Amino acid sequence: MNKILFAILMSLSMVAFAQELVDKSYSATSTNTNLVEARKEIQEQINQQVTEELAKQILGEDKFLKNRAVVMGRIAKSSGRFIPFQKPGALKSEPSGFTMSVAMKVNVQAFRQLLQQSGLLNENESAPVLLPLIQVVDRVQLRSDRWWNTNAADVAVPLRSLSRRMENSLRDAFSKAGFFVIRPVAGSMSEAIPYALRAEKHSPDDLKVLGDWFGAPLVIDGTLQVSRPKEGVSSAARLDLRLQVIQVSDNRPIADVSRSYDTDAGPLEVVVERKLRDVSETLASDLASQVAEAWQKGAVGSSQIRLNLSQRLPLPEIEKFKQALASSSLGLRTVRERVISSSGVVFEVESPSTMQELAGRMDGFQFNGRALKAQVMDNEIRLEFVR
């Protein structure tokens, strides 16, 4: 029984592994008259060809050219990690020298991992800047502190102290992860902000303007609320903290934390400050780790795009289609199915390309002997198989 189970697991593993590989074939020419040296030179040329082709497809032409030295040096030298199988053909004598073709299987996922490890898969060349936009609301004494408050008469000193503590905790936690957090409260940066942006609740357009204003692709939108517990000691307080990191380019949440804490009994300002001092570091570290993970996976700097496939597929075919997309050279970072119906399947993908660019690259994509037709319609990419 154990042997049968082991055989089944091995078969499934081999199938999954095979689905990650893409068949490729390349040719190159060498003018070297030595057969051994000519074969070696052609092999190196072909490794360079496949490396350049994959890098351009995943990174885009401009980013590839900007990082050409790293890609053609460090990445190409690791070709064995993303080209697990190669079958060289016979050397053919040509007037210009020797020509040889090489058939190979390419692991696009492994190539993408190499780009990630080299820091090339992210849209930004350096770690992103984050802008915290946190408001403190005291529902016990009916007062609040907004990050943009500049009038001393409107600023409650104890609440401003809480704002500064949150900024400092966030900056320390994100700094350890390699990111930079602006401190608009501590740095009094709100004075130059237009009054139109000094709002209690920012719209997606507001966040984009603020992100561009401060040079921050990510904002930390959040609230620290102080209230009385519904039950228990009347002189205790409750802290409700909600922080969300948003990518301003497409208003997409990258990470979030939400916590509630009850303080000890005592003077309101004292117990609240003490509790925040105890929990803010852990809270900020949790948020920073989520952003760091998203950054490592390349989710930061990419956009979510809907793919609407108008043909119905059996569930096994849907899974194979997802794997084909994920392991292709389209540069997709994630592929998820969102809706499965009798009329088709809707997928959601993350891609550094624009919707128009991705549609152009998906047009003609081959799956199980059929080609895809792709076109942008109604803020999504419509897909259908053509014979």
Side-chain angles (χ1 to χ4, degrees), residues 314-340:
L315 289 178
E317 286 294 297
I318 292 175
E319 193 61 31
K320 289 181 181 179
F321 185 61
K322 280 173 55 183
Q323 293 174 349
L325 292 177
S327 62
S328 71
S329 55
L330 293 171
L332 303 180
R333 295 172 179 175
T334 61
V335 181
R336 309 180 188 89
E337 71 270 18
R338 288 305 186 200
V339 179
I340 300 176

Side-chain angles (χ1 to χ4, degrees), residues 90-346:
L91 277 175
K92 296 181 180 179
S93 181
E94 302 285 348
S96 57
F98 290 103
T99 299
M100 184 177 73
S101 296
V102 177
M104 63 180 64
K105 292 185 179 295
V106 178
N107 189 327
V108 182
Q109 293 282 36
F111 185 82
R112 189 179 289 114
Q113 289 174 1
L114 284 171
L115 294 178
Q116 286 179 347
Q117 293 167 7
S118 299
L120 298 177
L121 196 53
N122 302 300
E123 200 67 15
N124 303 292
E125 297 303 321
S126 59
V129 175
L130 295 98
L131 172 66
L133 306 175
I134 301 169
Q135 53 181 311
V136 181
V137 179
D138 182 355
R139 295 197 176 278
V140 179
Q141 301 186 34
L142 302 180
R143 56 186 182 174
S144 64
D145 180 35
R146 317 292 179 178
W147 65 273
W148 41 260
N149 280 345
T150 57
N151 190 342
D154 297 333
V155 177
V157 175
L159 300 189
R160 180 52 57 102
S161 176
L162 299 180
S163 297
R164 287 196 178 94
R165 178 168 292 281
M166 282 304 305
E167 282 189 358
N168 291 337
S169 295
L170 289 167
R171 190 167 195 177
D172 290 344
F174 277 93
S175 178
K176 292 175 183 177
F179 304 116
F180 180 79
V181 173
I182 299 171
R183 293 185 292 179
V185 173
S188 300
M189 297 180 178
S190 59
E191 295 181 359
I193 298 298
Y195 283 97
L197 296 176
R198 302 182 187 187
E200 292 189 8
K201 181 63 178 177
H202 293 102
S203 68
D205 288 340
D206 290 341
L207 293 180
K208 189 175 189 312
V209 172
L210 285 166
D212 293 341
W213 191 286
F214 286 97
L218 303 176
V219 300
I220 306 173
D221 187 29
T223 303
L224 166 59
Q225 179 176 286
V226 179
S227 61
R228 290 296 187 192
K230 294 181 180 179
E231 299 177 358
V233 183
S234 60
S235 61
R238 166 162 292 181
L239 271 65
D240 291 301
L241 278 155
R242 183 198 63 80
L243 301 175
Q244 187 176 54
V245 178
I246 299 173
Q247 180 171 265
V248 298
S249 61
D250 56 0
N251 196 44
R252 180 158 56 94
I254 298 296
D256 66 87
V257 293
S258 183
R259 303 282 192 276
S260 294
Y261 305 96
D262 288 333
T263 72
D264 297 327
L268 182 68
E269 295 173 0
V270 174
V271 296
V272 168
E273 195 281 332
R274 183 185 301 155
K275 176 57 71 172
L276 185 62
R277 184 180 61 213
D278 292 341
V279 304
S280 61
E281 182 177 339
T282 301
L283 190 82
S285 296
D286 185 358
L287 194 67
S289 65
Q290 291 182 46
V291 174
E293 183 179 358
W295 177 260
Q296 180 64 26
K297 290 180 178 179
V300 179
S302 63
S303 300
Q304 288 183 334
I305 299 174
R306 280 169 55 96
L307 308 180
N308 194 334
L309 179 62
S310 61
Q311 275 120 321
R312 182 179 180 182
L313 294 178
L315 289 178
E317 286 294 297
I318 292 175
E319 193 61 31
K320 289 181 181 179
F321 185 61
K322 280 173 55 183
Q323 293 174 349
L325 292 177
S327 62
S328 71
S329 55
L330 293 171
L332 303 180
R333 295 172 179 175
T334 61
V335 181
R336 309 180 188 89
E337 71 270 18
R338 288 305 186 200
V339 179
I340 300 176
S341 66
S342 59
S343 59
V345 188
V346 175

Side-chain angles (χ1 to χ4, degrees), residues 1-11:
M1 184 65 182
N2 290 336
K3 291 183 178 180
I4 295 175
L5 180 60
F6 178 77
I8 292 173
L9 291 173
M10 286 297 294
S11 299

